[in-house]
Amino acid sequence: MTAAYAPEPYTLVVEFSEESYWYLHNIGYKEILPKHVFEEIGLDGWNTWNPMPPSDKMVTSGPFQVSQYIAGEYVELTQNPNYFGSAYNDPKIIPADDIMYRLGTTGHTLAWFAYSETPDSYWIYRDDVLIQNGDWSGGSIEISVDDLPIGLYTYNLVVSNEAGDMDSDVVFVAVSAALTGNIVFDYSHGQYSQNVKQIDDWLFSNLTALGFNCIPATGGINNSVLYNAKGFVAGSIYGTENGYSAAELAAIGDWFNSGHKFMWIGYDSDYGGQQYINDNMTAILEAVESHVYGEPLSIEDPDSNAGAGYRPIANVTGTDPTVLPMVVGVEKVLLHGPTCLYGSFIGAEGQGSVALETQSVTDVYPILRYGASATIVNSDLLNGYAHDEGDEGSFVAAALELNAGENETGVIVTSGASPYGDYRPMCADEYYGIELSGMDFVVQTIFYGIILTEVQDLVSPILNSPEDITFAFGETGYFINWEGESANPDYYSIYLNGSLYDSGTWNSSTESFNVDLDGLPVGGYNFTIVVNTTLSLEASDTVLVRVVEQSGLVDILLLNLNLIVTIGSISVIIVIVVLIFRTRSAAPPSFDFSYG
């Protein structure tokens, strides 16, 4: 045996100088003691270590623990609650699958199966709030998750047996807009590779199944390509002649800065003079003043890799609740020939640079990190901004940035390698015999990333409330003026006494909706406007209109001025009315509305 090490918590690697079946046979029957045991007893105390359970803590991976022991008489064993064969635990929940669905669709149900010899009770929590509980007799437990607003939700089932023992399972439910939109994948700058076309096609089919329309862009990036796109994904480029033009950078920046957009930018290492790759990716991020960038360095990992150090496997996922839906079920993701990321307080390359492993940047969340043995390699004269050659540690491989762009409603994911295309993308599910969860990671990150752009839109449109109007038949210049405001306008509808009166497209974030009241006959009218956003959020307002007959000077005075007049002299009233007629303007009245 030449080496033995643990590249990750549940993996042991033992290396031998030559091949033999008997080596595997011999090592397979050796006990494995966890690291913390030796930290407690010290390397010099291993040969005298003799724990006496149950007074001394047991170190075992077996199904039983010693609960009582009297030398020479008996040993009592009880269940080990941490035994990996947890199917023997009581009670036990078979985990339910996460659910992703589009707003407006139905038939979505969370279904758990749980069992116990003595079942008793269950509780279901949504975002830590109890929403359902009751007696449990064993078997399936289901709950409908239809009719949820757009957003991300955490459901937690807890079951208990009669002895008070419990088990729980957490499930994520994501609800996206009814029309999830287009995602543009850049293939205009050398990202296409026939070798990984099958993997890319699989990625697109998974996203299509979620309601997205994947658009491979092969003729350059411009306003037309990005028109009506919800997301843009750019893998690292190939070839110095394939850089992004100034016009392309401007188009990407204008599109993203318009608000509520998702963008994923994939870097590469600078190994072998490939700094031009990272320079181009940085140019895109600087156009939107991102706070995360790729280092001009390389990452290698001698322990967690796919057969070679320059093929590191990221095996540490983010723990912040914001990114948990992106990494559920994710254990290993390949980053082939990658770099690591750093944060920027200023929003530009090399400005206010910090290592994201040790310092926080507002609205930036690490999603994926390399293993603890990852090492910084510098293959050229350009040094890193927040890391140095030879540094070791669990560096950030992918990060999420919220509230990005000029109007602070965009979402950016930055990674040290390409999520698609490339020599071998992050979405690969296997490489050199290593099973990977890259496809789950990339699909979930794009899906939840786009939902996060929508969640930031979850503000109902703003609509002012004009005052009710009363005027005499035959008078002109009266109208209703509504002012609407929303980041995601869609359409409006105006109803007169419950029937559709007018409708149309709401074209801009702020818009006026006017109803001309001239010519209305005598009567009472109910005008109601309803404005809708692209995310099915709405606001409404009603204005009551009364048109009265000009039956007398006193009626006109009371109705138009809303004054209570004690009539003492008819001549005084006549003078006032004459003055009103002389000063009335034919122009519509000016309204000063305030709303929030």
Side-chain angles (χ1 to χ4, degrees), residues 203-217:
L203 171 63
F204 295 166
S205 67
N206 284 329
L207 292 171
T208 300
L210 294 173
F212 296 104
N213 181 28
C214 298
I215 301 175

Side-chain angles (χ1 to χ4, degrees), residues 380-427:
D380 56 21
L381 299 179
L382 186 60
N383 296 323
Y385 294 105
H387 302 87
D388 296 318
E389 182 176 12
D391 286 351
E392 294 185 11
S394 186
F395 307 112
V396 175
L400 169 74
E401 180 179 358
L402 299 181
N403 303 315
E406 287 184 357
N407 66 10
E408 300 181 350
T409 58
V411 174
I412 302 175
V413 170
T414 307
S415 58
S418 296
Y420 70 100
D422 206 342
Y423 185 83
R424 187 62 50 169
M426 294 175 67
C427 64

